[in-house]
Amino acid sequence: MITISGKSVFGGVSIGKLLFYQRNDKVIKRTHVEDVDAEWNRFQEAKDTAVTQLKGLYDKALADVGEANAMIFEIHQMMLEDLDYIESIENIIRTQEVNAEYAVATTADNFAAMFSSMDDAYMQGRAADVKDVSERVLDILSGADTGLKEMTEPCIIAADDLAPSETVQLDKSKVLGFATMYGSSNSHTAILARTMNIPAVIGLGEGLLQEYSGREAIIDGFTGTLYIDPDEATLKEMQEKREKDLEQKALLEQLKGKENITKSGQKINVYANIGNVSDLGAVLKNDAGGIGLFRSEFLYLENTDFPTEEQQFSVYKKVAESMAGKKVIIRTLDIGADKQVDYFNLDKEENPALGYRAIRICLTRPEIFKTQLRALYRAAVFGNISIMFPMITSVGEVRKIKEIIADVKEELKNEGIPYKEDVELGIMIETPASVMVSRELAKEVDFFSVGTNDLTQYTLAIDRQNSKLDEFYDPHHPAVLAMIKMAAESAHAEGAWIGICGELGADLELTEEFLKMGLDELSVSPSMVLPLRKRIRECE
């Protein structure tokens, strides 16, 4: 038995096979070939295999997420059949007498550069698509096994770390837990684990070897331990520990349908944070009062191009209808920093957490922002949708947002498209600047939602993605709590309500403190709704 210690980011016990997330590290070399006809046939066979894979992905996506979201796989099929693309590859193979891999990679680079240089935003988006379909063909040609395309059984996912764009592609129904070599407790792997209610251990270091892939493993999310090839005594102990945990969760089930009310009669709303439509089942199962944070950026992370207005409208409408009149707060695009999307073509930044991200992208690229706002205002007809904006630092930003909203409403009105006029608007309080001018901001909006992850990061001047700084990252710091209290006082003074949608909302040690501050709402991972309700009902 091999025992590796790390850091727990979500409790619980998972038992199953370990499966390593593979990345494509292939190097494309230019090699001379004698038989160009055979090489051309190699490409054609790989292309046909890729088309077959894409058809399968389309069918799966159609069943999982609907036609609008599945359309990307049809587009990729068409790109692989594009005559200009195919002729370029054939020309390079035959005239230069080189291998198919080199011809595909060169064509991909040339076409991507051509698309990127165009003025039209739609055509610029094709750059990422041509790269994506070419990578698929290159994987087939080189026999590379990348990612987790085939998860045939439930397993524990192991990796050095996982980017947001990688976690969204996982078949979440088959993920038993996460075990990573690196990462911080505030990484997206950790947040996803808490959302999915599955055990996760990070910081396992170099001791987590790829050769362990396929072997039996146990994650003890309570102690932050990973066991490889556990002995019988450890397996028995962990099975008992898992049963006990499940029993405690069963007791929490009795709180369903109960109010979030203290012994002295103070009420508070408890909502859930989600990343996409597939999380709706967990929201309803855990009896959340609404959705306090829908991270709309995952629509962008899951796509290889800007999601269209219809794609977004379909998703927002489904969420609103599924929640049947309960509040659904959708945060506008929060791309940048650790959430990078290739087709946005964002420049590399020395300090991305302080850089071009979130509302700063939306206000300087209004064509992207307007598409999302149109979809949101249209979907609001079908339920109780509120909209909130991230990374706000000034009143001027909010007023500029309102001007763009006015333009969007006017467009929809002139086009005869139904939309909701009076959508509730709010902002994220996640910068010290927004706290310091919170009284003025409260006059402009209906509500505040405190993003405690970023607020802590910016208040303490600590990069929350840097695992070396975990011991200094203190969300309980008096300065952070003082910021939240000040924002709450400002909101209530101007008739706005305030909640928390950051990870701190689920910190049961602070629940009583938040109640004393008079917070109106706490939004947490679906799995934390009932434990938080239990804690609230125990408070005086």
Side-chain angles (χ1 to χ4, degrees):
M1 181 176 78
I2 300 161
T3 303
I4 312 171
S5 295
K7 183 175 181 180
S8 170
V9 290
F10 193 78
V13 174
S14 279
I15 302 172
K17 280 187 180 175
L18 199 69
L19 188 62
F20 242 93
Y21 189 95
Q22 299 293 325
R23 282 194 187 80
N24 192 348
D25 294 324
K26 60 184 177 293
V27 176
I28 305 300
K29 294 182 179 179
R30 186 182 192 275
T31 58
H32 175 75
V33 295
E34 295 292 338
D35 190 342
V36 292
D37 287 330
E39 201 63 19
W40 169 238
N41 288 334
R42 272 188 73 225
F43 164 72
Q44 288 185 307
E45 288 173 6
K47 184 205 73 170
D48 292 342
T49 301
V51 169
T52 302
Q53 289 178 358
L54 288 164
K55 284 178 180 174
L57 286 170
Y58 174 82
D59 292 338
K60 184 178 186 301
L62 191 65
D64 291 349
V65 293
E67 186 174 4
N69 292 301
M71 196 63 68
I72 187 63
F73 298 114
E74 274 199 342
I75 293 170
H76 281 194
Q77 288 176 56
M78 289 188 284
M79 293 192 84
L80 277 177
E81 303 287 3
D82 181 77
L83 286 178
D84 290 333
Y85 177 79
I86 293 172
E87 285 174 3
S88 171
I89 293 169
E90 182 177 14
N91 182 58
I92 292 172
I93 290 173
R94 293 189 183 280
T95 60
Q96 299 183 37
E97 297 181 344
V98 291
N99 55 319
E101 289 90 340
Y102 177 79
V104 172
T106 302
T107 297
D109 288 342
N110 292 341
F111 274 57
M114 177 182 68
F115 286 131
S116 295
S117 66
M118 293 181 180
D119 293 331
D120 183 76
Y122 176 81
M123 296 309 293
Q124 288 173 356
R126 301 280 71 77
D129 285 334
V130 76
K131 282 280 196 183
D132 197 8
V133 295
S134 300
E135 279 295 323
R136 183 174 293 278
V137 175
L138 288 170
D139 285 348
I140 295 164
L141 284 168
S142 62
D145 182 20
T146 61
L148 290 170
K149 296 188 181 81
E150 296 294 331
M151 293 175 68
T152 56
E153 60 181 317
C155 51
I156 296 168
I157 304 300
D160 53 355
D161 197 8
L162 290 167
S165 56
E166 292 169 332
T167 60
V168 298
Q169 296 176 51
L170 298 173
D171 181 352
K172 297 176 183 63
S173 65
K174 292 190 174 75
V175 179
L176 296 175
F178 290 114
T180 64
M181 297 166 68
Y182 313 113
S184 93
S185 54
N186 302 292
S187 69
H188 281 272
T189 307
I191 291 171
L192 180 66
R194 291 190 279 265
T195 300
M196 293 172 62
N197 193 21
I198 57 174
V201 179
I202 62 169
L204 292 163
E206 305 295 328
L208 181 57
L209 305 176
Q210 288 214 17
E211 64 193 57
Y212 297 151
S213 193
R215 290 160 75 168
E216 287 298 316
I218 298 174
I219 285 180
D220 183 346
F222 297 108
T223 63
T225 309
L226 175 69
Y227 300 97
I228 309 292
D229 296 330
D231 56 35
E232 283 192 24
T234 302
L235 179 61
K236 185 171 184 290
E237 180 190 348
M238 290 296 111
Q239 286 172 333
E240 290 173 355
K241 196 170 187 177
R242 184 175 62 178
E243 287 304 312
K244 187 176 180 182
D245 180 45
L246 293 173
E247 285 172 13
Q248 290 177 336
K249 286 174 180 171
L251 289 174
L252 288 173
E253 292 285 310
Q254 297 172 18
L255 290 173
K256 286 184 178 179
K258 301 285 178 68
E259 285 190 297
N260 307 302
I261 187 169
T262 65
K263 290 180 179 178
S264 58
Q266 183 180 348
K267 293 182 181 180
I268 187 168
N269 290 317
V270 176
Y271 296 162
N273 299 334
I274 66 171
N276 50 41
V277 174
S278 63
D279 297 329
L280 280 173
V283 174
L284 299 172
K285 179 184 174 186
N286 287 282
D287 197 33
I291 294 172
L293 170 62
F294 181 97
R295 301 182 180 95
S296 70
E297 59 270 15
F298 280 87
L299 281 171
Y300 296 77
L301 287 164
E302 290 168 342
N303 264 16
T304 55
D305 193 6
F306 295 100
T308 65
E309 180 181 328
E310 289 305 317
Q311 277 180 293
Q312 295 192 59
F313 167 68
S314 174
V315 170
Y316 304 147
K317 176 175 177 279
K318 183 172 183 179
V319 174
E321 288 177 333
S322 299
M323 293 306 292
K326 291 180 179 178
K327 191 182 290 294
V328 175
I329 302 174
I330 299 177
R331 179 176 69 191
T332 57
L333 175 64
D334 190 8
I335 288 296
D338 60 321
K339 288 174 279 190
Q340 295 293 319
V341 180
D342 288 343
Y343 56 83
F344 272 73
N345 295 317
L346 300 179
D347 293 332
K348 183 172 175 58
E349 297 178 297
E350 288 297 320
N351 209 336
L354 302 178
Y356 188 53
R357 58 174 295 198
I359 203 65
R360 296 165 185 176
I361 294 176
C362 292
L363 292 179
T364 53
R365 297 174 73 173
E367 72 283 357
I368 298 172
F369 196 28
K370 281 187 172 183
T371 298
Q372 181 169 34
L373 289 171
R374 283 174 62 96
L376 286 166
Y377 271 85
R378 288 173 58 197
V381 173
F382 299 89
N384 186 10
I385 285 180
S386 300
I387 306 173
M388 69 176 173
F389 307 97
M391 277 297 287
I392 297 297
T393 61
S394 71
V395 172
E397 289 169 339
V398 178
R399 289 178 180 162
K400 191 171 181 182
I401 289 167
K402 287 182 172 180
E403 288 174 11
I404 295 172
I405 288 173
D407 290 343
V408 165
K409 287 182 179 179
E410 188 66 23
E411 286 175 8
L412 292 171
K413 184 178 179 181
N414 292 338
E415 293 167 26
I417 299 174
Y419 70 93
K420 188 174 180 181
E421 177 66 39
D422 55 339
V423 175
E424 187 182 47
L425 300 178
I427 61 168
M428 297 279 289
I429 297 290
E430 48 192 343
T431 65
S434 64
V435 175
M436 299 312 292
V437 295
S438 55
R439 185 71 183 262
E440 295 305 308
L441 287 169
K443 295 174 183 176
E444 300 286 336
V445 296
D446 301 301
F447 69 94
F448 289 163
S449 188
V450 184
T452 54
N453 304 1
D454 271 334
L455 184 61
T456 304
Q457 169 174 246
Y458 297 131
T459 301
L460 302 183
I462 286 176
D463 179 0
R464 66 186 177 98
Q465 297 296 322
N466 189 337
S467 58
K468 292 179 181 177
L469 299 176
D470 277 357
E471 64 178 295
F472 301 103
Y473 183 88
D474 178 17
H476 288 216
H477 194 290
V480 176
L481 299 180
M483 291 260 183
I484 298 171
K485 187 171 186 287
M486 182 178 175
E489 290 169 351
S490 295
H492 292 149
E494 298 298 334
W497 64 267
I498 181 169
I500 290 178
C501 65
E503 293 294 300
L504 212 56
D507 190 328
L508 303 184
E509 291 179 24
L510 290 174
T511 305
E512 194 161 354
E513 185 73 21
F514 293 148
L515 287 164
K516 288 176 183 175
M517 290 181 191
L519 290 172
D520 304 289
E521 175 250 14
L522 295 172
S523 190
V524 297
S525 298
S527 60
M528 282 302 298
V529 168
L530 294 176
L532 178 57
R533 179 173 297 166
K534 180 175 181 289
R535 180 72 189 99
I536 290 166
R537 292 172 66 88
E538 289 169 351
C539 289
E540 293 294 338

